Amino acid sequence: MQLLLNLDVPDLPAAVTFYQQAFGLTVGRELFDGTVVEMLGAAVPLYLLHKAAATRPCPQADLQRHYGRHWMPLHLDLVVADLDLALARALGAGAQQEGEIHEYDWGRLVTLSDPFGHGLCLVQWRGEGYDLVATHGRAIDAQN
């Protein structure tokens, strides 16, 4: 299986510029007559899809797209080597910081939103990262 990330944006050139400047991603390919741009440089490709505000994600949906700050259960966590440097770069590109930097035994984390309302987290590992908080040898019962 291959994982691809797709992110709806109302302004494709602005989104490409933001993800280039904020996180150093590069343009791979333009697809579907220029309505989709593949961004490379992360562990999986990020596809920016031009979708106008107030359009439906599918014909059956009662919801319409909006690009004010919104919550989505799926968000992007970007693991960086230097959180302070990455935060300054993201803010300079137009991200909005949504709280202070949080310090944990496993690392540092700060929450942001991109200019299109999508939530992002910057994460800097410390020591063993999430291995420090992993529950080894115990399976999670999916029925509970």
Side-chain angles (χ1 to χ4, degrees):
M1 177 185 347
Q2 182 182 12
L3 179 65
L4 305 176
L5 296 177
N6 294 281
L7 195 61
D8 295 356
V9 296
D11 183 336
L12 194 54
V16 168
T17 298
F18 173 77
Y19 281 92
Q20 286 175 320
Q21 290 178 356
F23 306 114
L25 299 181
T26 60
V27 172
R29 301 175 287 176
E30 291 186 12
L31 307 165
F32 302 103
D33 297 322
T35 62
V36 175
V37 174
E38 175 186 60
M39 302 299 292
L40 302 174
V44 297
L46 172 64
Y47 291 88
L48 301 174
L49 288 65
H50 178 255
K51 302 290 183 176
T55 59
R56 292 181 185 190
C58 64
Q60 301 83 3
D62 291 331
L63 304 172
Q64 294 182 342
R65 289 178 178 89
H66 72 86
Y67 294 103
R69 180 62 174 113
H70 58 275
W71 172 252
M72 58 184 188
L74 177 68
H75 64 273
L76 303 177
D77 281 2
L78 297 118
V79 178
V80 298
D82 182 327
L83 188 126
D84 298 307
L85 183 63
L87 176 59
R89 183 177 180 172
L91 294 174
Q96 296 294 313
Q97 186 171 342
E98 299 182 335
E100 299 301 317
I101 295 172
H102 298 277
E103 304 279 343
Y104 302 98
D105 291 341
W106 53 264
R108 305 171 73 212
L109 178 140
V110 65
T111 57
L112 312 165
S113 62
D114 73 7
F116 317 102
H118 305 305
L120 309 167
C121 293
L122 295 178
V123 176
Q124 179 182 350
W125 297 135
R126 181 178 286 145
E128 299 174 38
Y130 280 164
D131 285 345
L132 188 64
V133 293
T135 306
H136 297 284
R138 197 173 106 201
I140 306 243
D141 183 355
Q143 295 180 357
N144 289 331

